[in-house]
Amino acid sequence: MTDPVAYGIAILGALVAAFAAWHTATQRPFGNPLFYAVSVLEIVLIGLLVGGSIALGQTSRDVDGVVFISYLVTMVVIPPAAVLWGIAEKSRWGTGVVVVAMLTVAVLSIRLLGIWKGAYA
């Protein structure tokens, strides 16, 4: 886990959140463009899950593996759950849920970097 990866994912999550916030502000329903934006983030998070798991197995750092993996898995689960909720909720707050979820992914990415560096030990 490196700084550019963590901050890149945080920025991507914030950009998707901003796009979802625009949908919320303009009262647009959850649609294909927002779905594709969340899908791109999800693909990146799956890559992070695989790469982070491999890095954890090869590192000599003192990293709490259970917490690290649980953060990785949580980050992968959040976007699909937000999409399902966003599609099911027909009001503008369906996209509001996506905003909160994508901001959560951004924050978890920075927190994950801190766990990797041992800043929260």
Side-chain angles (χ1 to χ4, degrees):
M1 185 76 178
T2 62
D3 288 355
V5 171
Y7 290 117
I9 291 172
I11 290 169
L12 182 59
L15 288 173
V16 175
F19 187 52
W22 176 76
H23 273 73
T24 303
T26 58
Q27 298 185 7
R28 294 179 184 262
F30 193 97
N32 285 344
L34 185 55
F35 176 78
Y36 297 142
V38 174
S39 296
V40 168
L41 179 62
E42 180 67 12
I43 290 167
V44 170
L45 292 175
I46 290 170
L48 178 66
L49 174 64
V50 172
S53 299
I54 292 169
L56 182 63
Q58 296 177 347
T59 189
S60 61
R61 293 175 182 238
D62 186 25
V63 178
D64 187 356
V66 173
V67 173
F68 188 76
I69 295 296
S70 67
Y71 268 72
L72 288 172
V73 170
T74 300
M75 288 173 66
V76 170
V77 170
I78 288 174
V83 165
L84 290 174
W85 194 344
I87 291 170
E89 179 62 46
K90 299 301 180 196
S91 72
R92 74 184 209 172
W93 296 113
T95 54
V97 169
V98 177
V99 173
V100 173
M102 298 305 106
L103 290 175
T104 302
V105 168
V107 170
L108 287 177
S109 175
I110 303 303
R111 174 81 174 152
L112 188 66
L113 179 63
I115 292 168
W116 180 255
K117 290 182 173 184
Y120 303 115

